[in-house]
Amino acid sequence: MFPKKHPEGGNLKVYVDCVSPYSWFGFTSTKNYQPLLEQYGISVDIMPFFLGAARDAAGNKFAPTPKWREAFSEQDSNMTGEMLGLKVIWPKEFPILSLFAVRVATWVKDHYPTEKFEQTFPAFSRAYWNKGINISKPEGIIQALAGIFPEEDIKEIMKKAVSPENKQRVIELTASAGAFGAPWIQAFNSKGERKDWFGNDRWDQVMYHLEVPFTTVRIIPPEELEAKAKL
């Protein structure tokens, strides 16, 4: 178990953009960990941001996946999704410009109860990464958010999402991340020390930095598994 002492506060911020399936994974992992993190005094916040602008600012412009890496990328996204209970079906339209969806998610996060944002982001991810719905367009947004908001409310949210103040809010959130990929994880431990990570496969390091007790990967011995099966 690492580390050996309990944390004395801390903060975890996870920046996500639905254009990336790994943001869907990162969002899901964060929500899975959040209850116990909060029991250890770690505050948790999930923030929408525009990955395209963040990558451009960092000099990490989008490039198609090389042919030699395609099979691995498909395997990785499929298995990661499966382990989190998510089904990834690669959309025919990829990539899309996610800016409109990010603006909508930002407006929802800032003007609705937390649970509405926490329904909105995975709804966008599921719509795009499972159903192939193009959420860069108004009709795609309406499809994705059906069942979360009445259609008239969705139309009003879309109008507010492109207001000057909300556009500026997205710019500020994106700049504050300092990211070059998504999900982008920022963690401040109890000493105020900040570390950043990219991706959904660095949670051991995140927990170690936050001083949260956790266990590493452990193979269960056959005899232990057999003993449990007899209970």
Side-chain angles (χ1 to χ4, degrees):
M1 180 183 292
F2 302 94
K4 295 183 179 180
K5 62 178 182 177
H6 290 188
E8 298 177 0
N11 174 261
L12 176 69
K13 284 187 179 180
V14 181
Y15 292 84
V16 291
D17 182 336
C18 47
V19 76
S20 161
Y22 289 91
S23 281
W24 192 15
F25 305 154
F27 176 94
T28 304
S29 295
T30 302
K31 292 305 300 175
N32 288 344
Y33 296 138
Q34 185 172 359
L36 286 176
L37 285 170
E38 290 179 343
Q39 287 186 39
Y40 279 109
I42 308 296
S43 65
V44 178
D45 199 7
I46 302 174
M47 314 289 291
F49 84 125
F50 181 37
L51 176 59
R55 292 186 64 152
D56 287 350
N60 183 32
K61 293 185 180 296
F62 172 79
T65 302
K67 286 290 182 184
W68 54 265
R69 190 178 172 183
E70 284 180 353
F72 170 79
S73 295
E74 182 177 0
Q75 170 188 285
D76 188 53
S77 60
N78 287 345
M79 290 190 70
T80 302
E82 184 177 340
M83 293 171 71
L84 289 169
L86 309 173
K87 175 67 174 178
V88 175
I89 301 174
W90 206 267
K92 291 181 180 179
E93 295 181 81
F94 178 82
I96 57 170
L97 181 65
S98 62
L99 181 56
F100 185 42
V102 171
R103 287 170 172 168
V104 169
T106 301
W107 179 266
V108 170
K109 180 172 177 63
D110 287 350
H111 296 88
Y112 283 85
T114 301
E115 60 266 23
K116 285 297 186 182
F117 169 71
E118 293 181 351
Q119 292 173 320
T120 294
F121 183 81
F124 281 163
S125 297
R126 192 177 304 108
Y128 185 51
W129 287 104
N130 178 264
K131 301 176 182 178
I133 296 171
N134 186 342
I135 53 172
S136 69
K137 299 178 179 179
E139 55 269 29
I141 298 290
I142 292 172
Q143 280 185 269
L145 298 185
I148 300 173
F149 300 99
E151 185 169 331
E152 287 306 309
D153 289 7
I154 299 172
K155 290 178 180 178
E156 185 63 22
I157 289 168
M158 289 192 294
K159 289 180 183 178
K160 297 291 181 61
V162 293
S163 64
E165 58 268 29
N166 193 63
K167 288 181 177 180
Q168 183 60 33
R169 173 72 168 146
V170 171
I171 290 170
E172 291 169 356
L173 283 173
T174 300
S176 72
F180 56 77
W184 188 260
I185 301 171
Q186 285 182 1
F188 292 84
N189 63 17
S190 58
K191 304 180 189 70
E193 299 167 334
R194 169 180 163 176
K195 290 188 183 296
D196 294 39
W197 294 265
F198 159 50
N200 187 56
D201 55 354
R202 297 290 185 269
W203 287 106
D204 282 7
Q205 293 185 25
V206 175
M207 301 306 172
Y208 184 82
H209 177 64
L210 288 171
E211 302 174 325
V212 173
F214 69 97
T215 55
T216 56
V217 172
R218 172 178 174 266
I219 298 175
I220 301 174
E223 59 272 18
E224 183 179 332
L225 195 62
E226 292 170 6
K228 286 183 179 180
K230 293 176 182 178
L231 295 178

